Amino acid sequence: MVKKLRFVKLISVARKARTVTRKYPFEGPLITEEFRGEVRLDPKKCIGCGACIIICPPNALTLHDEGDVRVIRYFVGRCIFCGMCAEVCPTNAITITKEFELATLATEQLLRDLVHERVKCRICGKPFLPAKLLKAANDDIPGSDNYIDVCPECRAKLGLKGILEHRMG
Amino acid sequence: MSTVNLSSALKALKRSVWVFHLNSGSCNGCDIEVLDALTPYFDVERFGIKLVASPRHADVVLFTGPITRETLPKVIRALRAMPRPRMVLAIGSCAVGGGIWHDSYSVIGGYPKLEEILKKEGVVIDKVVFVPGCPARPEAIIYGVLVLLGVVEPKSKREVYKVE
Amino acid sequence: MSEEEGNSGQVVKGSEEAIFLVENLLRKKLSELPVKIYRAAGDSIVVEVPRRYLRDAANAVHNDLDAYVRTCAGCDEREIRGIYAVYHILGLDNYGVNVIIKVAVPENDAKVPTIADIAPGADWCELEFRDLVGIDLTGRPTHRLVLPDDWPDGLHPLRRDVPYGVRPPPVKREEVSLIEIERPGIPVGPYHPALHEPEYFELYVEGETVIDVRYRGFHVHRGIEKLAESKLTYKQIPFIAERICGICGFCHSTCYVMAVEKAAGIEVPERADYIRAIVLEIERIHSHLLWLGVACHILGYDAGFMHTWRIREKIMALAEYLTGSRKTYGINIIGGVRKDINKEKVPKVLEVLDFVEKETKNLADVLLSVPEVKRRLTGTGKLYREEARKLSVVGPVARASGLYRDVRKDYPYLAYKHVSFKVPLYTEGDNLARTLVRVEELFESISIIRQLLDTMPGGDIRVEEYEIESGRVSVASVEAPRGEDVHFLITGEGRPYRWRVRAPTYQNIPALRAMLRDQQLADAPITIASIDPCFSCTDRLVIVEVSGGKVRRVRRINVVKVAGGKVW
């Protein structure tokens, strides 16, 4: 008879466990210090290079070159919270926060934009790249001051002109 | 056609909503977090929320998955079977934005794309709340339910920063 | 046991010696056929055979050499060699070596003979490459397996000239359900309180006894392989691999990076191997506790469900503490791992393991003594050893039916060679045996993690510089909680040329027909749950079961005929 009632031991299991409920939202959530939540892009440090956009697996970070600006758009809705963007950013402009309370009534509220002004080409006037990116690139490759504010097409033309002038004397 | 007064219906529902779990092709990550919300550590039954067996009994549909091509007609049928007011909680990065496969041949692309199709089919959804996450934590799902019931104002807002 | 197989007891599985022995065996067995045999990356041997000798080669390897079917893949190699290629991957468990039978199929005559009667385990993957690459099969009845019902004929997504985002307009087909026409049945799904994923079963009954099962799966087909071959790069694919399944995702991402590292010859630091093995075992514990809870719930014992998931919550919190996310950990990258398990974290891990071990021992004791649980699990859903062998089932399903198969022992990988653990084996093949296998594996996992933490070496956790050459072929496998997970990879420029994922449930669902034979209707849900089905792993490809015999031309559903012992 006693063996048949062995399952009644569940009562003692339950009593030992007691109440484990965490009364969220009145109590805090069960988050550890390693948790990866929403990422934050720092407008002071971002140079608009696009490394985060290349690595982002679900294309939550997208690049839009339109008009005079380059927009880096972060769509939290499609983010998979992997943190690879923070790993590849060359200027550490991306930090991983612990924010998970992201519910909204419309997907537009989940967009975060970073708007860079694009430098206009000295020769043809077309905008091409953000100023901070040009400066960062220039710092790494000294000696390109002649071409730093010239768009790629005009740069090619200038270079060709230089070669021809050099050949003709 | 319908005389649903959404705000009065919501007032009546502030206490205990009955939810139906609808998986439209997700990887199960968000689905086990939905089940996890029922277990002792999070215990949504203290809010009176319970899982029901049929969309006909449901107030809210917990929607996960990016909607695959194969499940599309079945999802539309299941949503049409809900009585008004119909409320949907789109959980996870797949349901909110299509996820990591938003442009694949076999995937419709998440709840926003489904909304256009539902309009054409004549299925009206009265309120939608989007809960990002991959997978969405049980606490995030509970927060989403509170936003849906109007108890909490959503924190996330559109942000535009100009870089100097 | 022949002389050659007698030798296998002494050789170290997966070693150069084993590969050498297998190569000699193959040359001897296939000496009559015009084959080309050569090594691929890692522990694989490729056997190139002309189309008309495929069945002979498959017969020799599968039946004479006692190999198990692992998977098969079709590949569009028209831009390289002007042909389609079919790869049948078989595994010799005794040696720990993979044998890849490669067949070239000309573009204008895209047909290949079936091997599904020789090796029934290859049934579904053949239909898969017929759907996705468009290589037709001769010698067997065929039907659509993977693609959605409203997909047009003639459009094969895995062909290189089809873009990954193609959205053809839907095609209407007649839906014929045998329930209205022929016999009484019960449709279950796609949305049903007992199911967590969309899948569709029709159970045909006579009184309370189930005599037929019709299964229409593949609702979760998302086109992952196509995305990996056309849009994503090598670095991004571990993240999509992790989301093939939300429960065993880390196994898929580990298997993928192992396949790439094998193909490219990347040496991963030993510490990364240990960390990957520890997280894999943590995933196994979480998955088995999850299954135990779901099984209790299906049997109506909700108290068991709540308590097992209460214990499991500690594992989820531990996983977040170690990797940064409760699920879909995202720590695997090619060349190592992103997060370390340093000394400060070890006491917490040991504390959680002690808690889980103590609580699970108490709880399992109680659960298996509940009268309704015990009676409903014993003797139901029997799967006999011969059928299990024929269908090449994997994981706890195989181990409960007397097949001693475990990838951690047969094709050793990561840090498992450095630890000692037992693999539970039962012979009854019923639901109770499958339950006991999983409970015992849980305790073995706890012991494995403790051993790994003890002996973990120092050093780096990732390799930064590596190069991946195109055109290398490799096979990697991992013991997921549900069984053996196999990835087949051909490297390309910047992304894989062909990536084939075969999840464990894919191989186990065909065994359902044998298990549901003559069962009571009430036992059907627990039997289906006892193989621990993960349809989202399965459906990244679609599986449809087809049965032979008298079949009306129905489009959507496959009738699984279960008739006294016959598998086909």
Side-chain angles (χ1 to χ4, degrees), chain A residues 30-146:
Chain A
L30 280 170
I31 292 205
T32 58
E33 63 235 28
E34 302 277 347
F35 178 66
R36 290 193 299 263
E38 184 188 353
V39 302
R40 163 142 315 166
L41 287 78
D42 188 348
K44 293 204 244 330
K45 293 195 192 150
C46 174
I47 58 174
C49 67
C52 53
I53 286 147
I54 295 176
I55 196 70
C56 180
N59 306 126
L61 284 160
T62 44
L63 194 87
H64 307 267
D65 277 337
E66 44 204 29
D68 285 349
V69 297
R70 165 173 284 195
V71 179
I72 297 193
R73 177 162 293 161
Y74 173 47
F75 180 31
V76 186
R78 203 181 285 155
C79 180
I80 61 174
F81 305 94
C82 61
M84 288 303 281
C85 48
E87 237 178 75
V88 301
C89 178
T91 56
N92 290 325
I94 302 187
T95 46
I96 305 178
T97 66
K98 295 206 179 357
E99 185 62 61
F100 65 90
E101 291 170 339
L102 299 161
T104 57
L105 293 159
T107 45
E108 285 75 45
Q109 306 293 343
L110 294 168
L111 294 171
R112 320 262 182 264
D113 284 355
L114 218 60
V115 180
H116 288 266
E117 286 267 342
R118 293 200 286 167
V119 166
K120 291 203 174 44
C121 172
R122 156 162 62 91
I123 299 184
C124 67
K126 249 190 0 200
F128 63 107
L129 277 185
K132 282 172 101 167
L133 180 59
L134 286 176
K135 181 172 175 308
N138 193 32
D139 287 343
D140 280 339
I141 317 167
S144 55
D145 285 335
N146 292 340

Side-chain angles (χ1 to χ4, degrees), chain C residues 36-108:
Chain C
K36 208 163 70 149
I37 301 182
Y38 55 89
R39 287 279 301 272
D43 53 7
S44 312
I45 300 177
V46 179
V47 174
E48 267 190 49
V49 62
R51 201 170 28 165
R52 58 192 182 281
Y53 296 112
L54 168 63
R55 290 172 61 85
D56 300 317
N59 191 28
V61 180
H62 184 259
N63 295 332
D64 299 341
L65 290 182
D66 195 33
Y68 285 87
V69 169
R70 301 194 99 189
T71 187
C72 62
C75 186
D76 179 358
E77 296 186 358
R78 289 177 296 172
E79 51 192 50
I80 306 179
R81 280 182 275 269
I83 48 153
Y84 294 113
V86 169
Y87 296 84
H88 281 283
I89 298 148
L90 300 146
L92 282 150
D93 278 7
N94 291 333
Y95 297 88
V97 178
N98 295 303
V99 176
I100 306 176
I101 302 180
K102 178 172 170 178
V103 174
V105 177
E107 188 177 343
N108 48 8

Side-chain angles (χ1 to χ4, degrees), chain C residues 329-345:
Chain C
Y329 310 130
I331 61 167
N332 257 336
I333 49 166
I334 300 180
V337 292
R338 284 166 70 193
K339 275 208 145 55
D340 201 358
I341 301 182
N342 40 21
K343 287 214 169 50
E344 296 91 56
K345 296 194 175 166

Side-chain angles (χ1 to χ4, degrees), chain A residues 21-22 24-25 29-30 35 43 58-59 77-79 81 99-105 108-109 111-115, chain B residues 40-41 46 93 96-97 99-100 102 129-130 132-133 137 139-140 144 146 154-163:
Chain A
T21 307
R22 189 98 181 180
Y24 177 84
L30 280 170
F35 178 66
N59 306 126
R78 203 181 285 155
C79 180
F81 305 94
E99 185 62 61
F100 65 90
E101 291 170 339
L102 299 161
T104 57
L105 293 159
E108 285 75 45
Q109 306 293 343
L111 294 171
R112 320 262 182 264
D113 284 355
L114 218 60
V115 180
Chain B
Y41 271 85
R46 60 194 156 99
S93 101
V96 175
I100 202 168
H102 60 104
V129 169
F130 299 95
R137 296 182 70 96
E139 290 110 337
L146 294 176
K155 277 199 282 192
S156 173
K157 292 269 181 299
R158 171 108 200 244
E159 290 165 10
V160 179
Y161 296 105
K162 276 198 129 48
V163 176

